[in-house]
Structure formats: C-alpha cells, structure tokens
Amino acid sequence: MKINYFSVCFWLKSRINSEKKGVYIKIPKLILFNKKNNNIMPFSSEDRRLAEDEYNSLMHLSKYWPSDGFDVHFIKPLFFLKNYNAIFTKEICADHFFKIFRQSDSNNGTNNRSKTVKNVLKRLGGTLSKFHKLSLEECRFNSESTILKMTDTCLKLKSIGVSSKYLDHL
C-alpha cells in the first residue's frame, strides 16, 4: 500500500493460466496531507468529487488519447466503485520517468539516460500536440484583457520577490 497527500493506492496481482494480471486501485482522499487526520473514512463530498473527476478524466483520455505514431500510452481505467471511492485501472510496469530525468540531468546530458529522456520528451510532446489539436477551434481572443492579466500577475510576482529580469521580457 502507498499513501500520498491525495490518495491511498494499492495493487492486486494474480496469475491466470500462467499469465500475470494486475490491477491498480486508487482511493482519492483530499485530507491525507493533514497529519492530524489519519482516517480514510468517511469520504467528504470533496473526496468523492476528486475521485469522480479523476475517473472521468481517465475515461476521456482513454477515449481520445492518440495511440498512433508516438508510442505514448495512458493508464487504462477499468471501473469506478462509487461507494468505496475507488478507481480501478490496469496495472502498468514502467520505469519512473522523473527518476530517469534526474539521473540524466545530474550527468549533464552525457549518458544514455539523457538520450532516453530526450526521446521520451519528444514523443510526449508529439502526442500532446496531437491530443490538443483534437479540440482545436477558432475563437476570438481579447488581447487587451490578457495583457492586463499578465501585467497584474507580473506585478504580484515582483511584490513577492521574483526578479524583474525574468518578468520584463514578456
């Protein structure tokens, strides 16, 4: 079992006809980051909304995620047990990308891991581009209000100590 700030997760594995099968079960819970509360039950309305939204997102990605050309796949949702706030997905086995990324970065991009990272980022960028193009539509853009929002955000960032050299070239 694994507990993080927003969920309790665990795996179920079995062998059927000499083939390994596994499911991943995630129970979203908002309050787990609060050290004073170590109870999973009861589920709040926010916990339930978090789980339903996550499951709906997984279903959307499962339906619309482009599967051709880039060899980037998303977790396959199996079902959602609403009473237990539990999301069941197909188990995947893979290397944790961020560990590989950090190892590559610590070697200044001079090893095979850095080539792997560049390849993964290229494939991920390509498939994300394809995914976002699915919902691309022409619309009006109000540049004045956007510029005002950006200016306001930059002023707020400067007020909390962010250096102007990062903000003055926008």
Side-chain angles (χ1 to χ4, degrees):
M1 181 165 33
K2 179 180 174 185
I3 298 174
N4 60 39
Y5 290 135
F6 297 101
S7 61
V8 174
C9 308
F10 55 96
W11 298 260
L12 294 176
K13 296 180 183 201
S14 67
R15 189 177 294 272
I16 302 171
N17 297 332
S18 73
E19 186 180 347
K20 290 181 183 178
K21 299 275 186 179
V23 294
Y24 179 76
I25 303 160
K26 181 176 184 182
I27 302 172
K29 180 77 178 164
L30 281 174
I31 202 67
L32 291 174
F33 67 92
N34 181 351
K35 299 288 185 209
K36 295 176 188 171
N37 185 353
N38 58 6
N39 296 320
I40 295 173
M41 299 298 273
F43 295 119
S44 69
S45 60
E46 291 86 5
D47 296 332
R48 292 192 181 282
R49 188 171 61 243
L50 177 67
E52 288 178 21
D53 287 350
E54 183 170 339
Y55 181 72
N56 289 334
S57 293
L58 288 171
M59 291 300 291
H60 180 84
L61 288 167
S62 175
K63 185 175 180 179
Y64 295 108
W65 190 257
S67 60
D68 58 321
F70 292 102
D71 195 29
V72 176
H73 305 279
F74 221 86
I75 295 169
K76 182 180 177 1
L78 299 173
F79 55 91
F80 176 57
L81 286 181
K82 196 171 185 170
N83 288 347
Y84 298 100
N85 219 40
I87 300 168
F88 287 70
T89 65
K90 196 172 186 179
E91 182 188 39
I92 59 167
C93 297
D95 292 326
H96 196 287
F97 176 70
F98 292 110
K99 286 181 184 176
I100 295 170
F101 188 77
R102 280 195 296 268
Q103 288 171 349
S104 166
D105 191 42
S106 66
N107 290 320
N108 297 320
T110 58
N111 62 10
N112 284 337
R113 290 211 181 258
S114 67
K115 291 176 187 169
T116 301
V117 167
K118 288 174 186 173
N119 181 26
V120 169
L121 289 174
K122 183 179 178 182
R123 290 181 8 242
L124 186 58
T127 199
L128 280 171
S129 174
K130 249 181 159 175
F131 178 71
H132 287 292
K133 285 179 183 174
L134 293 172
S135 61
L136 189 66
E137 63 181 58
E138 212 171 289
C139 63
R140 291 193 179 271
F141 176 73
N142 184 339
S143 60
E144 286 181 30
S145 69
T146 302
I147 290 170
L148 286 173
K149 286 178 187 176
M150 289 175 66
T151 302
D152 185 50
T153 301
C154 288
L155 290 172
K156 287 178 183 173
L157 289 170
K158 285 178 184 178
S159 75
I160 61 169
V162 175
S163 174
S164 296
K165 72 178 183 176
Y166 298 112
L167 303 171
D168 290 341
H169 301 288
L170 296 177

